[in-house]
Amino acid sequence: MKTRLSIVIALILLSFSGAAQAQSVDAQYRTWLDQSLWPDAKAAGVSRATFDAAFKGVTPNLKLPDLVLPGQKPATPKNQHQAEFGAPGAYFAEKTIGSVQAGGRARASEHARTLRAVEQRFGVPSGIVLAIWGRESGFGRAKIPYDAIEVLSTKAFLSTRKDLFRKETLAALQVLEKGWAAKSDMKSSWAGALGQPQFLPSSLINHAVDMDGDGRRDIWTSVPDTLGSIANYLAHHGWQTGRDWGFEVTLPRSIACSLEGPDRGKSFADWAKLGAKRVSGSAFPAKEMSKEGFLLLPAGTNGPAFIVTPNFYVLKDYNTSDLYALFVGNAADRITAGGSAFKGKWGSVDKLYRSDVAAMQRGLEKQGYDVGGADGLPGYKTRRSIGEWQAKNGMTPTCFPSADLVKAVH
């Protein structure tokens, strides 16, 4: 009986403690709004009426990920959201990419006139635009449930990337001030991305367009504005009209995986001379032969290989994941040309936490390798550094992190 009573008392005290902490955070948040955020919003052209209306009834959403409450220290989360930390093949599940392909082909016909206008104006192929639309919001069908002001301001106040989300909160307030959206319409993902293209507010301001001519940049309900805005984003980030995004290839053993990266490019003609061949059996397009291409091995030697163009890295500007950009490229090919899944097989990878990869990266840095920073993300600089380290130590290069490598590199 005493044990039960003790547990009940402990739970009550914990409840009171949690409520008191929430009240404390709420009070600090309100002070931060008035004393810190409002002066910057005013300087950015936001009226007091818009500011007050935006934050009426808003409190911090403490259920969001990557928050650091007052008095706590930042910690690397155990659960990773990046696709690269799971089995890469799962990202290309046929159910998912097949749905984007089918939905994209249906909408290519339905919105043919708009898509022609978008491609003519921005130079971005309709397949790419449709693939991004499908991936980001299921062609506008996905539920986007969060209050954008709540999400963005919570992250600006409490997240591990306060400066980024402060900038985006101010941009969201400017959107409201311009009248491009009502507060009730400002719905976002848990990460603060808005509308059907899933733009952060600054991207909405910088890249959204009024494609339907109604005087608003409506990325929530207007299909023409959504399609035009996606294309304009890519055009602003350097999309090269008339070029493909890339090609799946087979590689001879003589092409080392450590040659990967956008800073180690060669002409397509040179890659062909080295023995890179398209898996389709066709030659590289004649228009590409004199232009630069880049080796991409997103799973090292344990997955498909690609020679990509600069347009692949434009897709990565939309979402920094290699797998995302490959998904969009493959889905676009399948929408417009009836292509199929990648031929290369995605092998299994070891379950690693971001902290494990970061520790390995620090070990490589100590030995003089440029891993692109010890951020725990296995980007191309990390992958090729692994390959170089493996070759130097008499191993067969795989160019991808593993549990054994984490132990070996220190």
Side-chain angles (χ1 to χ4, degrees), residues 2-203:
K2 288 183 178 180
T3 301
R4 287 184 181 179
L5 182 61
S6 298
I7 292 173
V8 171
I9 291 173
L11 289 173
I12 292 173
L13 290 174
L14 184 62
S15 176
F16 278 125
S17 174
Q21 183 185 51
Q23 289 177 354
S24 174
V25 171
D26 287 352
Q28 292 179 60
Y29 171 78
R30 281 289 150 188
T31 299
W32 172 79
L33 286 179
D34 291 337
Q35 297 184 8
S36 180
L37 191 65
W38 162 240
D40 283 355
K42 182 180 180 181
V46 177
S47 69
R48 186 74 210 198
T50 296
F51 188 88
D52 290 343
F55 289 104
K56 184 178 180 180
V58 174
T59 58
N61 184 346
L62 303 184
K63 296 180 181 180
L64 296 173
D66 303 325
L67 302 185
V68 182
L69 297 180
Q72 294 183 349
K73 293 183 179 180
T76 300
K78 286 294 184 182
N79 293 323
Q80 305 299 336
H81 295 286
Q82 289 85 2
E84 284 80 359
F85 286 92
Y91 198 85
F92 299 92
E94 187 57 33
K95 181 178 179 180
T96 304
I97 198 166
S99 176
V100 173
Q101 176 185 8
R105 298 189 83 173
R107 286 160 181 82
S109 176
E110 181 182 357
H111 302 292
R113 183 176 178 180
T114 296
L115 288 164
R116 283 195 298 271
V118 166
E119 186 164 351
Q120 183 176 12
R121 180 172 170 183
F122 302 108
V124 180
S126 61
I128 292 290
V129 175
L130 288 166
I132 290 176
W133 186 26
R135 181 65 193 179
E136 292 295 341
S137 64
F139 306 103
R141 296 173 300 177
K143 293 182 179 179
I144 304 174
Y146 292 94
D147 179 328
I149 297 297
E150 175 191 275
V151 169
L152 294 165
S153 63
T154 297
K155 288 179 172 287
F157 180 54
L158 293 173
S159 82
T160 55
R161 295 185 292 168
K162 290 184 176 68
D163 290 344
L164 167 65
F165 285 104
R166 185 186 187 91
K167 169 191 167 187
E168 297 302 339
T169 302
L170 292 170
L173 292 170
Q174 289 176 309
V175 170
L176 293 174
E177 184 68 32
K178 293 173 184 291
W180 291 351
K183 170 68 160 43
S184 60
D185 296 329
M186 288 277 281
K187 299 298 183 182
S188 76
S189 69
W190 62 264
L194 306 172
Q196 296 187 45
Q198 287 290 275
F199 278 177
L200 286 174
S202 62
S203 290

Side-chain angles (χ1 to χ4, degrees), residues 132-399:
I132 290 176
W133 186 26
R135 181 65 193 179
E136 292 295 341
S137 64
F139 306 103
R141 296 173 300 177
K143 293 182 179 179
I144 304 174
Y146 292 94
D147 179 328
I149 297 297
E150 175 191 275
V151 169
L152 294 165
S153 63
T154 297
K155 288 179 172 287
F157 180 54
L158 293 173
S159 82
T160 55
R161 295 185 292 168
K162 290 184 176 68
D163 290 344
L164 167 65
F165 285 104
R166 185 186 187 91
K167 169 191 167 187
E168 297 302 339
T169 302
L170 292 170
L173 292 170
Q174 289 176 309
V175 170
L176 293 174
E177 184 68 32
K178 293 173 184 291
W180 291 351
K183 170 68 160 43
S184 60
D185 296 329
M186 288 277 281
K187 299 298 183 182
S188 76
S189 69
W190 62 264
L194 306 172
Q196 296 187 45
Q198 287 290 275
F199 278 177
L200 286 174
S202 62
S203 290
L204 192 162
I205 289 174
N206 294 327
H207 309 300
V209 295
D210 173 21
M211 200 73 191
D212 59 15
D214 68 352
R216 300 174 64 232
R217 304 181 190 185
D218 178 9
I219 61 172
W220 288 273
T221 64
S222 170
V223 170
D225 288 5
T226 294
L227 299 177
S229 297
I230 291 170
N232 194 40
Y233 182 102
L234 298 176
H236 282 175
H237 283 78
W239 185 271
Q240 296 184 9
T241 301
R243 296 199 69 182
D244 291 281
W245 66 268
F247 309 90
E248 186 183 1
V249 298
T250 58
L251 302 173
R253 292 179 180 271
S254 56
I255 296 182
C257 58
S258 56
L259 290 176
E260 182 182 8
D263 55 348
R264 296 185 177 178
K266 303 178 185 295
S267 71
F268 274 87
D270 285 341
W271 284 117
K273 288 177 183 176
L274 290 172
K277 297 180 180 179
R278 293 179 66 182
V279 296
S280 66
S282 302
F284 293 116
K287 65 180 181 179
E288 296 284 1
M289 293 302 283
S290 64
K291 297 177 182 177
E292 196 171 32
F294 314 97
L295 179 62
L296 175 74
L297 295 164
T301 59
N302 201 24
F306 306 88
I307 304 295
V308 299
T309 76
N311 285 340
F312 175 84
Y313 295 98
V314 175
L315 294 176
K316 282 195 67 177
D317 284 336
Y318 205 100
N319 181 310
T320 57
S321 166
D322 287 329
L323 302 185
Y324 174 91
L326 284 172
F327 183 103
V328 168
N330 185 233
D333 289 346
R334 293 169 69 161
I335 289 168
T336 56
S340 60
F342 294 133
K343 302 299 183 185
K345 302 301 181 184
W346 299 94
S348 61
V349 298
D350 290 345
K351 172 68 175 180
L352 295 173
Y353 293 125
R354 188 166 174 174
S355 54
D356 296 328
V357 178
M360 183 194 65
Q361 289 170 323
R362 287 190 292 271
L364 288 168
E365 283 182 328
K366 289 178 182 178
Q367 298 179 50
Y369 292 94
D370 177 11
V371 298
D375 58 3
L377 301 174
Y380 72 89
K381 287 187 176 181
T382 293
R383 296 195 294 262
R384 72 190 187 193
S385 293
I386 288 171
E388 290 168 353
W389 183 90
Q390 289 171 319
K392 182 178 179 180
N393 287 274
M395 303 176 186
T396 300
T398 65
C399 292

